[in-house]
Amino acid sequence: MEVSNTIFSDKPVIVSYDGTWYGLLTAVFDAYSKKWNVSGFSVIDRESQSDFFAEKVVVVTDEAKAQRVWLGLKKKVPKENCIQLYRCYLSEIAGIELTIFSCIKFYFSGFDSPHLAYGNPDVLKVNQTSKMVYREKHRMEAFVRFQRTADDLYYAGIEPDFNVIPLLNEHFAERYADQNWLIYDIKRKYGIYYDQNKVEEITLDFSNDAGAKTSVKDVFHDSETLYQELWQNYFKNVNIPSRRNIKLHVQHVPKRYWKHLIEKK
Amino acid sequence: MSERLHEKLEILADAAKYDVSCSSSGSKRKNHNKGLGEATGSGICHTYTEDGRCVSLLKILLTNHCIFDCAYCVTRKSNDIKRAAFTVQEVVDLTMNFYRRNYIEGLFLSSGIFKNANYTMERLVSVAKKLRTENKFNGYIHLKTIPGASDELMHEAGLWADRLSVNIEIPTESGLKLLAPDKNIKDMIEPMTYLKKEIIRTKEESKIFKSAPLFAPAGQSTQMIIGASGESDKDIMHTANKFYKGFNLKRVYYSGYVPISNDNRLPGLGSAVPVLRENRLYQTDWLMRFYGFHVQELLNDQFPNLDPEIDPKLSWALRNMAFFPVDVNTADLQLILRVPGIGVQSAQKIVGARRFNKLGWDHLKKIGIALNRAKYFITCNSPITDRKDYTEAKIRQFILNESRSKFLTNGGQQYNLFG
């Protein structure tokens, strides 16, 4: 593998980047400016399907190049449509980078208001994927359940389908400005912590704490059990049994989220 | 102590659940003092009950003691039930602690009427005031205003709450007289009129003075009980229309009557909740507010009731076949909005996308319109068309056949299609 600038434009290439958003934008910059015939993207050190007929190029993340793509986009389409591309990236869906690349290329192709071209398959795909990620973000804003610990931290574990943590800090920092909180993605092993001042990305090492046999009583605040039970009780009593509609209930609160929802335990 | 609190919550949440409003949207309260919460967005449903309704607010009564005897109400004074009352501090603590754990968007506080209207209203206002001032709470607060409460109290309620509501409960005046002899329509209209005036006045003020205090920024709403007094759909929606137009209401809610007694003025215990009818009324409400339909087009003397089998837009389209076909590649947005199977977002997408290329069936399908209904009413960039001069009865039959299974599973308990 080598960084190459001498690719013939008709030869298909797989663009390899470091998996970050800036990395992807850098890759878009190089591929676009050097007119590569991109057949796919892959993340360095991550296994991916190989394409024997395509050459592999490694792109070195360059913030300046990434910024140029981002600022250029902002001139072509509304901010919401730029953010849509970022949300697609967070979906981690296999092959989504190629859709993002094709969509950006179309946005730069000179049409007036290109983001409204819902007849274009890439624009439509970006719209729909972004919507899925946005919905997951919205669900996390709804389904996060903080538990107050003995040292006054409000902790919530989540396992979202998509990597939505980067989309959550603003909402929670604004809303829970006067309490320390931590939202942790158990699947992706990182989270965001707020100390009433700023939000930080953190990773936790559970190996020590989890091993030690601390009882729930020691970990959580004295009032925690009371409020969890009151909430469960409330949830039970606002239901109207004669209107029971479990299908609708499960549609709104899919089962995969239940294990972190106090009221569904 | 916690046992008593549990019991109060059981009784007072149970009594409040028949109020269907749970919306926490439309406000613009920021977390301006680094306190707790905000109410700026479109509101979040934090969970859903097993009947499929959104839970956004802690919805409780302050007390279910009541001096009134409204037949349709579970807390009416003649009903032999357990009574309870929260203290102001208990409601404040519950709200703060639920909010901190991200269970809720805020508080919806209502109450049975004890002693008199002002005494009750005063207690409701003091909960909201305590939350806002002592606890720096900026989450959503919806207060029920008690019919007959003084203007001063209404004013103070507006200063602390995001939304205020007076429930009209029964859509016709005669129905109200029959079922709620202690209430009169004047006591409900007066606070609505006052609130409308105040909301408009404070809005004007805030244009001049940036620092003018918020006054019920999410406006006012009301609720009607459906199916308790033999009213027609036309009665309901024309009343709703009057409230939207005359009082600038943000929302009118329709609550299917849940039988709670064997009072012979009402549908008896065991009769089904009119869930499907409720759904049709909400669809009509949406058509009036977002699709440019006038209530008269949907419900009038000739068609006083909605069709339970098909949605009101389709029903209107079948009565007005002369409007169609609509050419999606050239027609105005307003016309596209009238096509069955095309929603507001899809209509906007169509208008945006057709500048790039003429849209065919495939495009329309991907954009997300419901072709099974829309195809009979549109033309697009394709020689193939399903408009073969079918009669309206035929179209209706086609559409019903395709969606019959859904009707049988969801609406089967109420409407017997073969009956």
Side-chain angles (χ1 to χ4, degrees):
Chain A
M1 288 195 294
E2 54 169 324
V3 184
S4 168
N5 289 325
T6 57
I7 299 160
F8 294 109
S9 62
D10 59 334
K11 184 151 193 210
V13 293
I14 302 261
V15 185
S16 194
Y17 74 110
D18 64 2
T20 65
W21 174 236
Y22 275 165
L24 180 57
L25 287 182
T26 307
V28 168
F29 181 92
D30 283 351
Y32 185 77
S33 59
K34 290 163 190 167
K35 296 194 170 63
W36 294 342
N37 174 18
V38 180
S39 69
F41 289 81
S42 71
V43 174
I44 300 167
D45 297 334
R46 227 180 272 171
E47 267 182 67
S48 61
Q49 283 185 324
S50 53
D51 179 347
F52 288 111
F53 302 101
E55 189 173 341
K56 199 169 190 175
V57 273
V58 177
V59 160
V60 181
T61 301
D62 180 338
E63 214 181 302
K65 286 180 182 173
Q67 280 295 344
R68 276 182 64 184
V69 175
W70 189 246
L71 293 175
L73 270 171
K74 279 189 173 169
K75 283 182 204 148
K76 298 287 181 192
V77 293
K79 195 173 164 203
E80 165 60 20
N81 295 86
C82 300
I83 296 169
Q84 279 184 359
L85 294 162
Y86 178 55
R87 285 196 209 114
C88 284
Y89 157 75
L90 293 177
S91 75
E92 300 174 334
I93 291 171
I96 195 69
E97 294 102 327
L98 192 59
T99 307
I100 294 172
F101 175 59
S102 308
C103 184
I104 291 177
K105 263 202 322 201
F106 179 73
Y107 285 170
F108 279 111
S109 64
F111 283 107
D112 181 34
S113 303
H115 60 287
L116 295 178
Y118 299 104
N120 175 308
D122 296 312
V123 174
L124 194 66
K125 182 86 192 286
V126 162
N127 247 277
Q128 287 165 341
T129 309
S130 158
K131 211 179 200 174
M132 283 159 60
V133 175
Y134 184 82
R135 194 160 80 145
E136 184 79 347
K137 164 201 180 271
H138 190 75
R139 273 188 173 146
M140 285 305 120
E141 288 170 358
F143 294 161
V144 155
R145 294 286 179 268
F146 286 123
Q147 306 187 58
R148 187 181 184 183
T149 66
D151 49 1
D152 246 346
L153 171 73
Y154 285 81
Y155 167 79
I158 59 172
E159 290 174 79
D161 293 344
F162 307 122
N163 181 21
V164 293
I165 284 241
L167 302 173
L168 295 177
N169 47 12
E170 225 175 287
H171 171 81
F172 283 98
E174 159 78 5
R175 179 167 286 212
Y176 299 104
D178 70 343
Q179 67 193 45
N180 293 358
W181 52 259
L182 167 64
I183 300 171
Y184 202 76
D185 186 333
I186 297 163
K187 220 158 58 183
R188 294 176 185 81
K189 297 191 174 59
Y190 82 110
I192 42 176
Y193 169 70
Y194 174 76
D195 64 357
Q196 302 188 37
N197 228 333
K198 61 189 183 309
V199 181
E200 276 177 312
E201 220 175 271
I202 59 164
T203 55
L204 291 180
D205 183 8
F206 280 111
S207 55
N208 293 329
D209 291 343
K213 287 214 171 94
T214 41
S215 78
V216 177
K217 257 189 158 172
D218 296 334
V219 176
F220 289 110
H221 191 269
D222 290 341
S223 68
E224 185 54 30
T225 318
L226 170 68
Y227 284 107
Q228 287 193 13
E229 284 170 3
L230 283 168
W231 174 242
Q232 285 162 341
N233 199 3
Y234 175 73
F235 179 72
K236 209 173 68 207
N237 281 286
V238 285
N239 182 44
I240 301 178
S242 55
R243 299 180 62 120
R244 188 180 151 90
N245 188 347
I246 288 293
K247 198 178 147 203
L248 190 59
H249 169 68
V250 173
Q251 189 183 318
H252 286 304
V253 191
K255 284 186 178 157
R256 63 182 182 282
Y257 300 104
W258 287 12
K259 75 172 178 186
H260 295 296
L261 291 173
I262 308 290
E263 68 273 19
K264 293 303 295 178
K265 273 179 185 166
Chain B
M1 191 214 87
S2 83
E3 260 172 53
R4 181 64 190 138
L5 193 57
H6 269 292
E7 196 191 15
K8 283 186 187 180
L9 185 62
E10 263 167 43
I11 295 170
L12 296 169
D14 191 85
K17 70 189 177 189
Y18 300 102
D19 204 309
V20 293
S21 160
C22 88
S23 154
S24 52
S25 61
S27 194
K28 49 182 179 188
R29 192 179 301 277
K30 289 197 174 121
N31 192 349
H32 58 96
N33 50 4
K34 215 178 170 179
L36 177 67
E38 41 92 21
T40 51
S42 50
I44 298 170
C45 295
H46 284 274
T47 191
Y48 289 80
T49 50
E50 291 193 348
D51 56 34
R53 289 177 310 143
C54 148
V55 180
S56 168
L57 304 169
L58 169 62
K59 193 192 299 178
I60 46 174
L61 298 190
L62 189 58
T63 177
N64 65 343
H65 290 282
C66 194
I67 56 172
F68 282 4
D69 204 29
C70 307
Y72 50 79
C73 182
V74 73
T75 60
R76 66 190 180 280
K77 100 183 143 190
S78 63
N79 201 14
D80 182 21
I81 48 163
K82 265 194 186 171
R83 306 280 168 173
F86 278 124
T87 64
V88 168
Q89 190 59 44
E90 281 169 339
V91 177
V92 169
D93 288 344
L94 271 176
T95 308
M96 292 297 287
N97 277 287
F98 277 10
Y99 197 95
R100 285 200 183 287
R101 287 166 175 77
N102 203 43
Y103 298 165
I104 53 171
E105 291 292 285
L107 173 68
F108 180 150
L109 190 60
S110 179
S111 183
I113 297 164
F114 50 108
K115 279 193 185 171
N116 59 51
N118 279 341
Y119 188 85
T120 309
M121 193 68 210
E122 222 174 271
R123 293 295 172 290
L124 297 183
V125 168
S126 69
V127 170
K129 183 177 180 179
K130 205 163 186 166
L131 278 168
R132 293 283 190 236
T133 54
E134 286 172 36
N135 295 276
K136 286 204 210 171
F137 178 72
N138 298 308
Y140 196 89
I141 298 180
H142 180 157
L143 288 186
K144 189 56 67 62
T145 52
I146 306 299
S150 73
D151 283 0
E152 289 74 30
L153 280 168
M154 298 291 281
H155 181 77
E156 217 190 329
L159 291 180
W160 309 122
D162 293 283
R163 175 167 286 180
L164 298 169
S165 64
V166 185
N167 280 2
I168 204 81
E169 304 294 16
I170 302 298
T172 60
E173 208 173 334
S174 56
L176 192 72
K177 260 198 196 117
L178 177 70
L179 297 173
D182 305 318
K183 284 186 178 170
N184 70 65
I185 193 90
K186 196 172 126 272
D187 280 350
M188 301 181 190
I189 297 294
E190 269 174 4
M192 281 192 185
T193 314
Y194 175 77
L195 287 175
K196 178 195 165 192
K197 216 178 63 207
E198 282 296 288
I199 290 170
I200 292 174
R201 189 177 65 78
T202 46
K203 231 181 217 158
E204 289 300 316
E205 257 176 35
S206 70
K207 277 182 199 154
I208 306 165
F209 310 105
K210 271 251 160 69
S211 58
L214 293 174
F215 185 89
Q220 55 171 334
S221 65
T222 192
Q223 165 174 299
M224 286 186 264
I225 297 173
I226 302 313
S229 63
E231 73 291 329
S232 70
D233 291 341
K234 176 182 160 248
D235 291 335
I236 295 165
M237 293 316 297
H238 280 252
T239 301
N241 186 53
K242 249 194 306 195
F243 281 115
Y244 279 128
K245 296 268 152 65
F247 298 93
N248 300 352
L249 287 203
K250 281 283 162 68
R251 284 293 298 274
V252 175
Y253 291 92
Y254 312 93
S255 171
Y257 176 69
V258 179
I260 40 136
S261 79
N262 265 333
D263 189 317
N264 59 16
R265 289 171 289 177
L266 289 161
L269 288 174
S271 47
V273 184
V275 184
L276 181 54
R277 183 178 179 202
E278 197 184 283
N279 183 32
R280 294 283 178 247
L281 290 169
Y282 276 111
Q283 288 174 323
T284 309
D285 184 281
W286 249 249
L287 290 179
M288 283 160 48
R289 290 190 300 140
F290 305 118
Y291 289 79
F293 280 91
H294 190 277
V295 64
Q296 192 66 29
E297 294 180 279
L298 302 163
L299 287 162
N300 45 51
D301 289 336
Q302 210 181 340
F303 303 99
N305 286 301
L306 298 166
D307 189 333
E309 287 187 344
I310 54 175
D311 70 76
K313 199 195 209 184
L314 178 57
S315 177
W316 174 84
L318 291 175
R319 294 199 302 266
N320 294 278
M321 290 303 283
F323 265 84
F324 303 102
V326 165
D327 182 347
V328 294
N329 284 304
T330 56
D332 283 348
L333 178 67
Q334 286 307 319
L335 274 179
I336 295 179
L337 281 172
R338 292 195 164 229
V339 177
I342 300 185
V344 174
Q345 284 192 6
S346 302
Q348 283 163 349
K349 274 189 179 157
I350 288 170
V351 174
R354 69 188 183 189
R355 294 187 301 122
F356 297 88
N357 47 290
K358 293 221 164 192
L359 306 176
W361 295 114
D362 215 35
H363 294 120
L364 293 172
K365 197 172 174 187
K366 281 198 181 130
I367 280 173
I369 76 169
L371 278 183
N372 70 322
R373 271 169 290 155
K375 66 182 174 189
Y376 303 105
F377 303 96
I378 54 177
T379 54
C380 62
N381 191 34
S382 163
I384 308 157
T385 167
D386 260 300
R387 283 190 53 82
K388 297 191 181 100
D389 288 322
Y390 290 132
T391 62
E392 43 177 284
K394 196 95 187 149
I395 295 175
R396 182 192 169 94
Q397 204 49 49
F398 281 142
I399 293 173
L400 273 179
N401 282 344
E402 275 181 58
S403 52
R404 173 148 292 185
S405 60
K406 183 179 145 197
F407 274 96
L408 285 178
T409 48
N410 284 345
Q413 73 268 34
Q414 296 176 68
Y415 290 92
N416 186 350
L417 293 178
F418 308 105

